[in-house]
Amino acid sequence: MNGNPTYHAIALVAGTLLVLPLAVAVLAGWTPRGLQGRRPAARPYAWALLCLYALMPLNAVPRMMDAAPGVVTACTASGFGLIGAACSFFVRAGLLHRRTNRTAGT
């Protein structure tokens, strides 16, 4: 059920190198060029990315440790809460962008 731990470790390292630095940089105040027009909405995007990043170790670590099937299933099921949180942050970012465009007259 758990598969090869090497593949989970590779995916976790790749996700850490690709997703985590961007989210942390945005939370620290940097705004990527693609989000310059959505600057007020950049922080909710970063929080959404962090929620999606949290899914990676939540699913990979129990599988890498060859945990019991019930533990793996519980961790996978709890990931739906993080997906819901990420969706709410994406909606918040969209609403913030819409609100700033309305007040700016765009």
Side-chain angles (χ1 to χ4, degrees):
M1 174 181 175
N2 294 335
N4 190 343
T6 305
Y7 295 135
H8 294 293
I10 291 170
L12 188 58
V13 167
T16 300
L17 293 176
L18 295 174
V19 176
L20 192 58
L22 176 66
V24 171
V26 170
L27 288 175
W30 176 72
T31 305
R33 190 175 345 159
L35 289 178
Q36 289 294 329
R38 297 175 174 236
R39 186 171 297 228
R43 289 184 68 83
Y45 281 128
W47 282 111
L49 280 177
L50 284 178
C51 287
L52 294 177
Y53 169 74
L55 282 171
M56 295 177 203
L58 185 66
N59 283 318
V61 171
R63 295 171 195 273
M64 290 168 56
M65 294 175 31
D66 201 28
V71 173
V72 174
T73 303
C75 289
T76 302
S78 65
F80 287 110
L82 290 170
I83 292 171
C87 289
S88 68
F89 281 121
F90 282 129
V91 168
R92 172 115 171 104
L95 292 174
L96 278 174
H97 177 65
R98 176 181 264 177
R99 186 179 315 147
T100 56
N101 276 349
R102 191 178 308 145
T103 59
T106 305

